[in-house]
Amino acid sequence: MITTTTPMEGAILKLPCLRTVSRNPKFTNRSSVSLLWRSRPLHVSASAASSPPLVEDPKLGPGSLGHITRSDFPILHQEINGSKLVYLDNAATSQKPTAVIKALQNYYEAYNSNVHRGIHYLSAKATDEYESARQKVANFINAGKAREIIFTRNATEAINLVAYSWGLSNLKPGDEIVTTIAEHHSAIVPWQIVAQKTGAVLKFVNLTEDEVPDVVQLRDSLSRRTKLLVMHHVSNVLASVLPMDEVISWAHDVGAKVLVDACQSVPHMVVDVKNLDADFLVGSSHKMCGPTGVGFLYGKSEILSGMPPFLGGGEMIADVYLDHSTYAEPPSRFEAGTPAIGEAIGLGAAIDYLCEIGMQQVHDYEMELSSYLYDRLSSVSDVRIYGPAPSRTVKRAPLCSFNVKDVHPTDIATFLDQQHGVAIRSGHHCAQPLHRYLGISASARASLHFYNTKDDVDRFVDALKDTINFFTSFK
């Protein structure tokens, strides 16, 4: 059954040479290998593809990717509440390697200046590095042109940019926006607002019995009335991975545009916008080892060129007169005011770091560690894990959202932190409609990145067992 929300119901409700970081001697040369996800080949983008194993045996023991890269992340080497930190909140934000921290420091110490309009050395240097970061993002997701990348504050702002610029200009009463009940709030609320303003209708696709967004129902719901499909690539709660190449093809068959929320996929796997044929795709720096305060929107150049400005001010204009203004071409049209220069440069450094490893290697290691997490967590009594069970054909993303019978997830997260130094997330993870659908108000979530290790998982599960024993002792 598809849930439909009417507008009234919604109311209630110059390219510089690229700079790379110094090559880490821990990393060996790597060759390209094909990526399998849900037993389907994904095409590898040019910048992210170099990838043979970092070690002869890319498993989970000493010498694994997690052990090799851990020393690059200073924050991980500390004690929290008397225990060694185990950081498993990566779906909320990732940690930052030394290379990124130094890139930010170098910007502020050596060439801090505003970009684009200065002719002095510092401004030219800052501009080169800022635009270099844009090119790095484009290369990383295999966009055809750097001007198809727009820097925003975060992925939420990127979605709102599309909603207010493209949405308000193109949607009319009766048009349909299709999405799923498993979306992050940032992919729901902007479209509720746009639907209220335009008379468009929001349609929500539900889950299958396996707790995966129902792509068959989604396909059947598409029609010539569908003007936009908004979907996550990887769920931040269910750990499910959607076949976006097929889904995008179905939407294009009926003339609809597609916006992909790639916040949970770009940091963990190869994402290629050309092969996906996505119209829009958003990502967030802080989830991919970059700084907070910057994200990006990819948009096909022919679509961006036809969109009006999102914000007005400096940088986004061609000429300003007292009675009207004319606007710059993208991406400047959508980057009003002084941007987050240092943060964008830091994002570029993060991409350099990830490319030194190779996204294929990141993906392969995380799949091994993800399976280990699921197996260990599912063996704990009274634990309910949400999302699909892993199999030969279904690969889960590196996270587990779960609940423990008769123990509130916030109590679990608090005890893990205060008694064991284990950092996980509790709450609704900005996915209240999904939690209501699952019949719960909140869940606990442990989420991995490539710098995590098997030991992190073991310490988490052992600490969770102690946590459960503590709370059940009062019954």
Side-chain angles (χ1 to χ4, degrees):
M1 176 180 179
I2 294 177
T3 306
T4 302
T5 301
T6 64
M8 184 61 69
E9 290 169 337
I12 302 175
L13 310 167
K14 136 191 158 194
L15 290 173
C17 295
L18 296 186
R19 177 182 57 83
T20 59
V21 296
S22 299
R23 189 168 187 81
N24 191 330
K26 299 169 185 171
F27 298 149
T28 61
N29 289 327
R30 296 179 288 280
S31 61
S32 175
V33 294
S34 62
L35 170 64
L36 293 179
W37 190 278
R38 295 176 67 93
S39 294
R40 308 158 64 84
L42 272 178
H43 299 280
V44 180
S45 65
S47 69
S50 55
S51 52
L54 288 172
V55 292
E56 291 298 319
D57 182 11
K59 299 296 183 180
L60 304 181
S64 72
L65 180 58
H67 289 87
I68 291 172
T69 59
R70 195 172 185 84
S71 62
D72 294 334
F73 293 84
I75 199 171
L76 300 178
H77 307 282
Q78 63 175 300
E79 289 189 353
I80 302 294
N81 296 319
S83 299
K84 178 182 175 183
L85 170 64
V86 175
Y87 184 80
L88 298 179
D89 194 20
N90 295 283
T93 198
S94 62
Q95 297 304 337
K96 321 308 174 192
T98 301
V100 171
I101 298 168
K102 287 184 176 179
L104 276 168
Q105 182 178 9
N106 186 45
Y107 166 68
Y108 285 111
E109 287 184 346
Y111 58 98
N112 174 48
S113 183
N114 215 326
V115 293
H116 294 143
R117 292 177 300 280
I119 61 172
H120 57 81
Y121 172 83
L122 295 183
S123 181
K125 171 68 171 176
T127 298
D128 282 351
E129 294 295 328
Y130 179 77
E131 292 302 330
S132 175
R134 192 191 308 278
Q135 184 65 62
K136 290 173 186 178
V137 174
N139 291 346
F140 195 68
I141 62 171
N142 201 28
K145 309 174 186 71
R147 65 175 179 268
E148 293 180 318
I149 303 300
I150 297 163
F151 285 128
T152 59
R153 288 184 302 161
N154 43 48
T156 298
E157 185 175 78
I159 296 172
N160 276 270
L161 191 163
V162 177
Y164 283 86
S165 180
W166 185 89
L168 292 181
S169 301
N170 288 275
L171 297 173
K172 59 184 184 299
D175 287 345
E176 293 177 353
I177 306 163
V178 176
T179 188
T180 82
I181 62 165
E183 302 306 314
H184 191 280
H185 295 161
S186 62
I188 296 177
V189 178
W191 301 107
Q192 290 175 335
I193 297 171
V194 167
Q196 293 163 18
K197 291 178 179 290
T198 64
V201 177
L202 266 173
K203 298 177 70 176
F204 292 90
V205 172
N206 292 325
L207 306 183
T208 67
E209 292 182 354
D210 295 326
E211 296 180 343
V212 176
D214 191 337
V215 295
V216 175
Q217 180 191 25
L218 183 152
R219 182 187 59 197
D220 293 343
S221 73
L222 298 173
S223 71
R224 290 293 171 181
R225 293 187 300 274
T226 308
K227 302 305 175 185
L228 182 69
L229 173 63
V230 181
M231 290 188 74
H232 63 273
H233 193 177
V234 171
S235 171
N236 73 320
V237 176
L238 302 172
S240 53
V241 185
L242 298 180
M244 291 310 300
D245 50 353
E246 287 188 10
V247 168
I248 291 170
S249 178
W250 298 337
H252 287 170
D253 285 346
V254 299
K257 299 291 189 289
V258 182
L259 188 157
V260 180
D261 176 357
C263 287
Q264 299 293 339
S265 58
V266 166
H268 302 284
M269 58 192 288
V270 176
V271 174
D272 186 325
V273 295
K274 284 184 182 177
N275 283 289
L276 288 177
D277 198 25
D279 301 293
F280 302 103
L281 182 142
V282 303
S284 197
S285 166
H286 72 94
K287 296 185 192 297
M288 51 191 293
C289 300
T292 56
V294 66
F296 66 86
L297 166 68
Y298 160 81
K300 290 181 177 177
S301 58
E302 62 272 21
I303 302 177
L304 295 176
S305 294
M307 290 165 51
F310 173 46
L311 298 173
E315 183 62 27
M316 49 74 65
I317 54 86
D319 291 290
V320 175
Y321 304 91
L322 292 181
D323 59 346
H324 74 282
S325 297
T326 58
Y327 308 123
E329 290 298 312
S332 297
R333 184 185 301 172
F334 304 107
E335 296 182 5
T338 298
I341 303 166
E343 288 79 0
I345 293 169
L347 170 58
I351 290 174
D352 288 339
Y353 182 85
L354 292 172
C355 289
E356 283 291 307
I357 302 171
M359 290 309 295
Q360 180 64 55
Q361 179 63 35
V362 168
H363 170 77
D364 291 346
Y365 174 74
E366 290 185 352
M367 288 303 94
E368 293 279 355
L369 196 60
S370 177
S371 294
Y372 185 73
L373 170 64
Y374 187 91
D375 290 345
R376 287 232 50 198
L377 186 57
S378 61
S379 69
V380 180
S381 297
D382 296 327
V383 167
R384 160 78 154 91
I385 303 175
Y386 301 100
S391 68
R392 290 185 177 181
T393 58
V394 177
K395 303 298 182 184
R396 288 175 57 95
L399 64 89
C400 285
S401 298
F402 65 96
N403 270 312
V404 176
K405 184 180 179 181
D406 298 329
V407 185
H408 195 279
T410 298
D411 291 334
I412 294 171
T414 301
F415 195 91
L416 287 172
D417 175 61
Q418 294 183 355
Q419 297 299 314
H420 296 280
V422 176
I424 67 168
R425 178 113 340 207
S426 65
H428 53 64
H429 317 306
C430 294
Q432 285 182 313
L434 173 59
H435 279 74
R436 292 193 189 101
Y437 185 89
L438 294 170
I440 56 177
S441 61
S443 63
R445 183 183 67 192
S447 51
L448 306 168
H449 220 327
F450 60 87
Y451 44 72
N452 286 121
T453 64
K454 177 177 178 288
D455 181 61
D456 288 338
V457 175
D458 290 338
R459 289 192 53 217
F460 158 61
V461 173
D462 291 345
L464 179 63
K465 291 178 179 178
D466 181 63
T467 302
I468 296 171
N469 289 337
F470 174 80
F471 284 105
T472 57
S473 68
F474 294 99
K475 294 181 180 179

